[in-house]
Amino acid sequence: MSTDHAAVLRTLLREAELRLAHLDDDERSLLRDRADATADDEHDPEGSTLSGEWSRVDALRRGAEQDRADAAAALDRVAGGTYGACVVCGGPIAPGRLEARPTAATCIGCAR
């Protein structure tokens, strides 16, 4: 099966950017909730606290930003003709690894 690596990577990049846009919306919602002087989230037994939601959004944002950076770096390697070569040892990255993890920058040996 032939894979268009650049197309897969562009899709991963778009997905990460969409997740970041949704997280921006979540963050704006949290800011509105925080600005609400009547919000007493720390004493609401039914819901999560604003600080808990901030932590969740922050962790998801970091993951999406890393995914975006990994996809962009892999696209740079495609453009530079080095996609599929390990950035550490220069050896080939196994096709199965690239299929499972299209943004992989290292071979399995160097990843260990």
Side-chain angles (χ1 to χ4, degrees):
M1 176 171 97
S2 176
T3 302
D4 180 358
H5 297 292
V8 169
L9 293 167
R10 284 191 297 270
T11 298
L12 291 174
L13 184 62
R14 278 191 306 274
E15 289 171 353
E17 289 171 345
L18 282 172
R19 286 195 327 266
L20 285 166
H22 288 292
L23 290 167
D24 286 343
D25 292 342
D26 290 349
E27 191 172 83
R28 280 190 290 276
S29 177
L30 286 171
L31 285 170
R32 279 191 304 273
D33 289 348
R34 187 177 214 169
D36 182 4
T38 63
D40 185 16
D41 71 325
E42 298 298 329
H43 298 96
D44 180 4
E46 299 297 317
S48 61
T49 64
L50 283 176
S51 60
E53 285 299 307
W54 278 109
S55 293
R56 182 189 69 79
V57 169
D58 181 57
L60 291 171
R61 177 178 301 285
R62 283 193 312 261
E65 287 171 344
Q66 185 63 56
D67 290 347
R68 179 177 60 183
D70 290 347
L75 280 167
D76 287 345
R77 290 192 301 278
V78 168
T82 61
Y83 182 80
C86 179
V87 298
V88 175
C89 71
I93 299 173
R97 177 164 168 76
L98 288 173
E99 185 177 331
R101 187 179 161 102
T103 59
T106 58
C107 65
I108 292 171
C110 290
R112 289 187 187 132

